[in-house]
Amino acid sequence: MKNKFIVFAFIASVTACFGDFIVMFILGSFYPGYSQLRDSMSGLGATVSPVSFEMSAWWVIVGVLLAVFGVGFGLTFAKDNRARIAAWLIVIYGLGEGVGSGLFPADYIDNKLTFIGWVHDAIGGIGIAGIFFLPLVLLPFFKENGNLKLYKLSIFVFALGFLFLLLFGIARLDYFMNSFIASYKGLWQRLLMLNYYIFIIALAFYMLKNKSKSQV
């Protein structure tokens, strides 16, 4: 039964990661004037968006799927404290950036975030923090288990994550609103997500490979 859940968690993670980009691209095409490169993903779920309900509902689904993956990862490597911490970080990311973004749209009034918009940013920020530190938490885990490829990938993902998060953060500042960086806010955010989704899929395959060794 446990191994079946781990397989389900694997399917959930792959569905969430690939599906998120596909759904955002499709729904974005139904939003006149919306740019995948220039506009943030949150805009698709804002109340003024013509695809607000669909996008918000999908983000809730993505969040739940990623939380399921986090639980599966934790079950697979339950004997290792760092793996359990990593599992919680994945769950936090799913619930914060996924479910939180879906339930609390990033709404603006007179170019200022509403209270719900602030909640959106706060919960999403907690979720991003979870996934941001995930590679660092897993570094010693992969090193001790002799998995040099995932060890190197963790370093690479953390470095790219820092770069894209910095670019996205700069792009949101009013001081840089007319800069090249700000013009491609959506690009930096999508590259940030792509970076971590690749890492999650790599973890999912690693989890699946080790499911027979799982212990609660």
Side-chain angles (χ1 to χ4, degrees):
M1 185 67 181
K2 181 175 57 182
N3 282 349
K4 288 183 180 178
F5 180 81
I6 292 172
V7 171
F8 175 68
F10 168 80
I11 296 172
S13 66
V14 174
T15 301
C17 293
F18 279 103
D20 203 18
F21 275 95
I22 294 172
V23 171
M24 280 194 295
F25 179 80
I26 293 174
L27 291 182
S29 66
F30 288 96
Y31 191 163
Y34 182 83
S35 170
Q36 300 282 349
L37 299 181
R38 297 181 181 276
D39 299 319
S40 68
M41 296 185 295
S42 297
L44 288 172
T47 304
V48 297
S49 166
V51 293
S52 175
F53 175 79
E54 293 83 358
M55 192 71 255
S56 296
W58 169 249
W59 279 334
V60 171
I61 294 171
V62 168
V64 172
L65 291 175
L66 289 176
V68 168
F69 167 60
V71 173
F73 191 85
L75 285 175
T76 306
F77 306 104
K79 288 189 113 180
D80 191 283
N81 289 332
R82 290 152 304 187
R84 289 202 300 270
I85 293 172
W88 276 110
L89 292 178
I90 295 169
V91 171
I92 289 172
Y93 173 67
L95 296 181
E97 183 66 2
V99 176
S101 294
L103 295 179
F104 302 98
D107 289 341
Y108 285 80
I109 294 179
D110 296 329
N111 292 323
K112 293 182 179 180
L113 274 174
T114 63
F115 174 75
I116 296 299
W118 278 107
V119 174
H120 170 95
D121 275 7
I123 297 178
I126 293 172
I128 289 294
I131 201 70
F132 179 75
F133 289 108
L134 179 63
L136 287 184
V137 170
L138 287 172
L139 272 177
F141 173 73
F142 291 133
K143 186 175 183 180
E144 290 184 11
N145 284 279
N147 196 313
L148 189 59
K149 289 183 179 179
L150 284 178
Y151 178 82
K152 290 181 178 179
L153 179 63
S154 298
I155 296 174
F156 185 70
V157 167
F158 178 75
L160 276 185
F162 179 82
L163 173 63
F164 293 137
L165 186 60
L166 178 64
L167 289 172
F168 180 61
I170 291 174
R172 298 188 64 187
L173 297 176
D174 291 339
Y175 182 80
F176 296 96
M177 63 182 301
N178 295 317
S179 67
F180 169 82
I181 293 178
S183 297
Y184 289 94
K185 177 171 56 178
L187 174 63
W188 312 133
Q189 188 180 26
R190 283 164 177 79
L191 288 176
L192 177 69
M193 294 300 98
L194 177 63
N195 179 53
Y196 289 120
Y197 281 170
I198 290 173
F199 189 59
I200 286 173
I201 291 174
L203 294 182
F205 276 100
Y206 184 68
M207 175 190 70
L208 190 66
K209 181 180 178 182
N210 288 274
K211 73 178 189 302
S212 61
K213 305 174 186 178
S214 63
Q215 296 181 31
V216 178

